[in-house]
Structure formats: C-alpha cells, structure tokens
Amino acid sequence: MSIRCIQKSAWTGVVYCLLAVASMSSFALAQDVAVPAVSGADALRSDAVEQARQGRYALALSMIQQAVKASADSAGPVYDQIVILAWSDEYAQAIKAYEDLDPKTPPPDYVIPEVARCYRFVKNYDKALSLYRQYLTRYPEDKNAIKGIIYTYLDAGDHDAAEKFIQDIVASEVAGRAKAASFIGDVYLARGDIDKAGEIYASVLKKDFDDVNALLGLSRVLMAKGLTQNASKIIDQVLKEDPKNFQGLVAQGEILEADEEYLKAYDHYGQMSQIYPRS
C-alpha cells in the first residue's frame, strides 16, 4: 500500500501508521537488548526482527518461522512472530497466534499493544480496548496506548466515548497526560466540525505552542479550508523540530498535491518510503 493510499483511506489512517512506526521502534529496542547476536535460533530471531524493521516482511516471516521450529521449547520466537505478523498487516494470523498462546503464561508487554492494534483493524473494538487498557494500566504515561484507545473509539464511531476518555486522561494526575487535550480536536474533526476542531487546537497552542498534535491538527483544518500556504508553514515548523515526523511528512505531500505539484509529491512519497518502508 502506498503512502497516498494510507492517507486517503481514512483520516485515522495516518495515526495508524504513526502508531505502527512508534511501536516498532520500541519493540526493536527491546529485542536489541534481550536477544544477543549468537548463532542458531537466537541469531535467526534477531535477524528476523531486523529484516522486519527494514520492511522485508516475507523474508522476516520466513526467518522467524525457522526460529520457531528450532526453538520448540521456547515461546520467545513465537512472541516475535506475532509482532512481525502485526507489522506485516497479517492481522488475523497475528491474532490467531496470540490466542493460541498458553493462557497460563502471559506474553511480554511489548506484544500487547501490537495485538490490540490487530484487533482494532479487524474491527473487534472491545478486545482492542481491553488490551490497550491492560497495557495502559502498567504504563500509564504511554502515549501510543492513549492514542490507541482514542482512535479505537473513533474507528468504532463512538465519538462521545473518545471525548470522555480524553477528558478523564487530562483530568488525571499522571505526569505528561495534559497534552492529550489536543486530541479532543481530533474528535471534532472526526465529527466533521472543522471550525470547532480549529478552536480547540488554537486554544491548546496558546498554552503550549510546541504541541505537535495540535499543530498537525491545525494544519489539517487549514488544508480543509483550502489555506495550503498557512498549513505548509505549520508543517515546516513541525518538520524543523522532527524531520522524520510521519504525519508531518504525509501532510507535506498532501499540500504538494493540493497545489497540483504532482511530480514533486510523487518524489516526496518515494523519499518517504525510504524512511518508512512499511508505508
């Protein structure tokens, strides 16, 4: 699937890709620490993760399957297989592998949000929410779990539940959660109330002019109103601080398209695919 297709399929699609990239980085880091570069099944397992990070999913799946066969007494490769299947968008297979695990032996934490995302994309929203909440209980500041819950509600069309969850998060005393306020703007975007969304983003930015989600949201509002030059200035600000920000890069491509700079947009998306092979 191309980046354009992901962006055009639904406004939440960009968030999905962002979550996927973020969770991939977290998992890969865990594997770099937990799996030493040794011969045999462990080496296959480590190499499979690295291949998946590079977007070579067919090769990664082949390698991890070999590691699973070579490590019949260890569940480690199976956990990695679930994650790689999730990265490969093989949601049903990832879910089956997860559900086939021994219920007496819970999987490592890094598996949970990946499986939650799979449930979300097969539209089993209740299970997705349950796993995201389970993960959030253990890691109450985890931004990806918070986003996962918000966008699962939005995918399910339950805008009111999404808004209440965000309000509860902001009202909690957990450090770092106050930034979730900008996501209420996302709820109003999903409702189609562009003006209200813009008001919320602007209000958040008065208190924190570096809030990335509010900046990205405001750029979407401006683009919806045809103000691509204004939107471009905001995106430039985001990318200046974080040149690899996925949503910012996608928005940059969208702006080029809106301005009918199709060849530049094509080149831009091609460059993006080098940074995010999964897209």
Side-chain angles (χ1 to χ4, degrees):
M1 180 181 291
S2 71
I3 293 170
R4 282 182 63 184
C5 290
I6 290 173
Q7 167 69 1
K8 294 294 187 181
S9 61
W11 76 272
T12 50
V14 175
V15 177
Y16 147 59
C17 293
L18 182 63
L19 288 172
V21 170
S23 57
M24 183 187 299
S25 299
S26 175
F27 167 71
L29 179 61
Q31 291 309 297
D32 288 342
V33 174
V35 183
V38 296
S39 60
D42 283 342
L44 267 176
R45 179 183 174 188
S46 180
D47 288 346
V49 171
E50 182 57 31
Q51 292 299 326
R53 289 176 62 188
Q54 299 300 321
R56 304 184 186 100
Y57 302 116
L59 178 58
L61 287 170
S62 175
M63 295 175 73
I64 199 64
Q65 286 167 5
Q66 294 178 53
V68 169
K69 291 179 182 178
S71 306
D73 297 331
S74 172
V78 177
Y79 299 144
D80 294 357
Q81 184 180 44
I82 292 170
V83 175
I84 293 173
L85 283 167
W87 291 356
S88 307
D89 296 342
E90 298 290 349
Y91 306 129
Q93 291 185 49
I95 289 170
K96 183 180 185 306
Y98 170 75
E99 292 181 345
D100 285 345
L101 292 174
D102 184 350
K104 297 179 181 178
T105 308
D109 291 337
Y110 67 78
V111 176
I112 300 304
E114 296 292 346
V115 178
R117 186 172 61 83
C118 291
Y119 278 123
R120 174 187 164 199
F121 280 94
V122 300
K123 300 184 179 181
N124 191 332
Y125 300 125
D126 288 341
K127 284 198 173 182
L129 289 167
S130 176
L131 287 179
Y132 276 131
R133 289 184 181 279
Q134 174 185 328
Y135 190 80
L136 195 61
T137 298
R138 298 200 61 177
Y139 303 95
E141 297 181 36
D142 189 86
K143 295 178 181 178
N144 287 322
I146 291 172
K147 292 177 183 178
I149 292 174
I150 293 169
Y151 295 119
T152 299
Y153 278 131
L154 293 181
D155 286 352
D158 197 343
H159 300 158
D160 291 344
E163 185 171 7
K164 184 179 185 305
F165 172 75
I166 297 167
Q167 290 170 340
D168 290 344
I169 286 290
V170 173
S172 69
E173 297 182 356
V174 178
R177 285 188 169 189
K179 281 185 174 290
S182 64
F183 289 101
I184 295 179
D186 293 0
V187 175
Y188 278 92
L189 272 183
R191 287 171 174 157
D193 192 339
I194 295 173
D195 290 335
K196 182 63 175 178
E199 290 176 10
I200 292 170
Y201 295 134
S203 176
V204 170
L205 290 169
K206 284 182 180 179
K207 301 175 182 177
D208 182 3
F209 60 87
D210 287 329
D211 188 299
V212 174
N213 190 68
L215 288 168
L216 291 167
L218 186 57
S219 74
R220 291 197 296 269
V221 169
L222 292 170
M223 287 178 64
K225 293 182 175 183
L227 302 173
T228 56
Q229 290 187 349
N230 292 349
S232 183
K233 291 179 181 178
I234 292 175
I235 295 303
D236 288 346
Q237 178 181 341
V238 171
L239 293 176
K240 182 178 180 180
E241 295 299 321
D242 179 10
K244 294 185 179 180
N245 184 285
F246 187 89
Q247 287 176 291
L249 290 170
V250 171
Q252 198 171 51
E254 293 273 300
I255 291 169
L256 288 170
E257 289 188 84
D259 290 340
E260 300 184 356
E261 297 281 359
Y262 300 118
L263 289 178
K264 289 183 179 180
Y266 181 83
D267 290 341
H268 175 75
Y269 290 129
Q271 291 171 12
M272 274 193 69
S273 67
Q274 299 301 312
I275 303 173
Y276 296 109
R278 169 170 193 163
S279 57

